[in-house]
């Protein structure tokens, strides 16, 4: 068979390139059709999310092109059928399983994170210590405040909500070192995962699609940061008003358990979450798309350089 092919006026590069291209021509529409069918089945509004859908299609085609280029490179060595299949399976296992496992092991070793048990134990110990020192903590806070130093005799009679305005920040301060260690480990592991996504195309494709869908870990962390900022804004707004009642309490109306003196509802800080728009998500996945395309082009070029001569038959 090879003698018959070699007798034609065609080189090995054109012959094998045409075979790989033929495979790609029928696989690309199949991949796109499967993608569209899955999204329609999930109820995606294509008109509202067409930029993300177009980017997802481009990523899928680039990923397909990468594996076709890998197959092209393997076949350029003219292996047997069993050898070609074995090589491709080994490459898939290394890229899809080996690289992520190695990256995870490196990240866990390089960036150790406090265990959940250690975090719970530290918080429990902190709560116990704060409860035992609650009056001393409040008294120290009173001594630092010119508007409260004259009300030091009321430390022991503070209600629970007012007392917590002094104890909650103190507990967070005592746990701040452990929290900083946890955040540093999360940052380091996120960087390791981002680097591994460039070494493992399956992992890179998954990360890019998650960014397009808005289910990536980075978005979750941005939300956590915004929630924490909002919590601090609420504290900065409510705590002074609550603590102001210690030194100058508003008289309670007769037959009432509350003071009923709060009327600043419109002034309470409102939640203003910020979400990246479609353009930001597209920019975020552009490096992954370019990287997959570049790898496919480089592997194809390497395969073409190896295809200089027809194989010799035994």
């Amino acid at each position: 068979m090879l003698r018959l092919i070699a007798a034609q006026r065609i080189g090995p590069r054109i012959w094998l390139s045409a075979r790989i291209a033929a495979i790609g021509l029928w696989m690309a529409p199949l991949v796109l059709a499967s993608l569209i069918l899955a999204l329609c089945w999930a109820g995606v509004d294509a008109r509202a999310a067409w930029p993300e859908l177009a980017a997802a299609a481009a990523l899928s085609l680039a990923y397909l092109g990468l594996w076709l280029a890998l197959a092209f490179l393997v076949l350029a060595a003219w292996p047997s059928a069993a050898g070609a299949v074995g090589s491709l399976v080994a490459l898939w296992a290394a890229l899809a399983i080996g690289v992520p496992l190695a990256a995870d092991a490196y990240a866990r070793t390089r960036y150790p994170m406090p265990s959940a048990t250690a975090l719970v134990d530290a918080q429990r110990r902190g709560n116990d210590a704060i409860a035992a020192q609650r009056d001393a903590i409040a008294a120290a806070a009173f001594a630092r405040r010119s508007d409260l130093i004259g009300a030091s005799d009321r430390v022991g009679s503070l209600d629970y909500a007012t007392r917590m305005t002094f104890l909650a920040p103190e507990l967070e301060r005592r746990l701040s070192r452990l929290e900083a260690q946890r955040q540093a480990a999360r940052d380091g592991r996120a960087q390791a995962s981002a680097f591994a996504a460039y070494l493992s195309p399956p992992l890179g494709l998954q990360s890019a699609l998650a960014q397009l869908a808005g289910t990536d870990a980075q978005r979750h962390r941005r939300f956590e940061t915004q929630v924490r900022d909002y919590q601090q804004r609420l504290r900065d707004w409510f705590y002074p008003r609550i603590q102001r009642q210690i030194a100058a309490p508003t008289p309670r109306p007769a037959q009432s358990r509350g003071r009923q003196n709060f009327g600043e509802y419109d002034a309470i800080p409102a939640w203003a979450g910020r979400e990246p728009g479609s353009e930001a998500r597209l920019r975020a996945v552009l490096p992954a798309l370019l990287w997959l395309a570049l790898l496919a082009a480089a592997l194809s070029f390497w395969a073409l350089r190896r295809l200089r001569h027809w194989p010799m038959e035994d």
Side-chain angles (χ1 to χ4, degrees):
M1 181 65 178
L2 288 175
R3 291 176 181 175
L4 180 61
I5 295 174
Q8 308 300 317
R9 297 185 60 183
I10 186 173
R13 292 178 177 175
I14 297 178
W15 181 76
L16 190 55
S17 299
R19 296 192 65 181
I20 296 296
I23 295 174
L25 286 177
W26 70 263
M27 287 192 68
L30 180 62
V31 169
L32 291 178
S34 301
L35 177 64
I36 294 173
L37 180 62
L39 293 173
C40 291
W41 185 270
V44 175
D45 186 357
R47 291 176 298 179
W50 71 266
E52 289 85 352
L53 296 180
L59 283 167
S60 300
L61 292 179
Y63 183 72
L64 173 63
L66 172 64
W67 283 104
L68 288 175
L70 277 172
F72 192 18
L73 180 62
V74 170
L75 294 176
W78 304 108
S80 63
V85 172
S87 298
L88 287 174
V89 170
L91 283 172
W92 175 85
L95 295 176
I97 302 175
V99 172
L101 287 178
D104 181 69
Y106 168 78
R108 290 178 181 273
T109 304
R110 180 68 177 81
Y111 306 104
M113 181 180 292
S115 66
T117 303
L119 291 172
V120 172
D121 183 64
Q123 187 170 12
R124 181 185 62 80
R125 292 176 182 273
N127 284 327
D128 292 343
I130 291 292
Q133 305 167 12
R134 62 177 194 173
D135 289 343
I137 294 172
F142 276 41
R144 294 191 297 267
R145 296 269 298 273
S146 59
D147 58 331
L148 296 179
I149 193 170
S152 299
D153 57 324
R154 302 179 186 174
V155 168
S157 60
L158 294 178
D159 60 79
Y160 177 80
T162 303
R163 189 184 304 277
M164 287 305 297
T165 63
F166 299 103
L167 302 186
E170 176 63 18
L171 176 61
E172 291 181 354
R173 186 190 66 80
R174 296 186 182 188
L175 297 176
S176 60
R177 184 182 61 83
L178 197 61
E179 178 63 19
Q181 183 180 353
R182 189 179 74 90
Q183 292 295 340
R186 290 182 64 183
D187 292 339
R189 293 185 180 188
Q191 293 176 1
S193 177
F195 181 74
Y198 286 98
L199 300 179
S200 172
L203 182 60
L205 177 66
Q206 178 185 356
S207 300
L209 293 178
Q211 286 182 314
L212 285 176
T215 57
D216 54 299
Q218 293 87 347
R219 184 191 181 197
H220 180 69
R221 294 199 64 182
R222 287 194 300 267
F223 175 73
E224 287 182 337
T225 301
Q226 293 180 48
V227 169
R228 179 58 177 169
D229 292 342
Y230 181 58
Q231 182 187 39
Q232 291 297 334
R233 289 172 56 206
L234 288 177
R235 284 184 176 182
D236 294 341
W237 195 88
F238 273 108
Y239 280 13
R241 288 166 171 79
I242 295 174
Q243 295 169 0
R244 196 179 301 148
Q245 296 295 319
I246 300 173
T250 302
R252 295 182 180 180
Q255 307 299 324
S256 174
R257 297 179 62 87
R259 298 186 178 93
Q260 300 181 0
N261 64 323
F262 184 78
E264 301 177 86
Y265 296 101
D266 293 337
I268 297 176
W271 166 260
R274 300 175 301 278
E275 281 290 335
S278 176
E279 294 183 0
R281 288 193 292 270
L282 294 178
R283 286 195 300 268
V285 302
L286 184 59
L289 177 60
L290 294 178
W291 176 246
L292 290 174
L294 180 62
L295 282 179
L299 292 172
S300 299
F301 179 74
W302 188 7
L304 289 173
R305 285 185 59 86
R306 298 182 65 180
L307 285 171
R308 295 180 178 178
H309 306 287
W310 290 104
M312 300 298 294
E313 287 189 331
D314 296 332

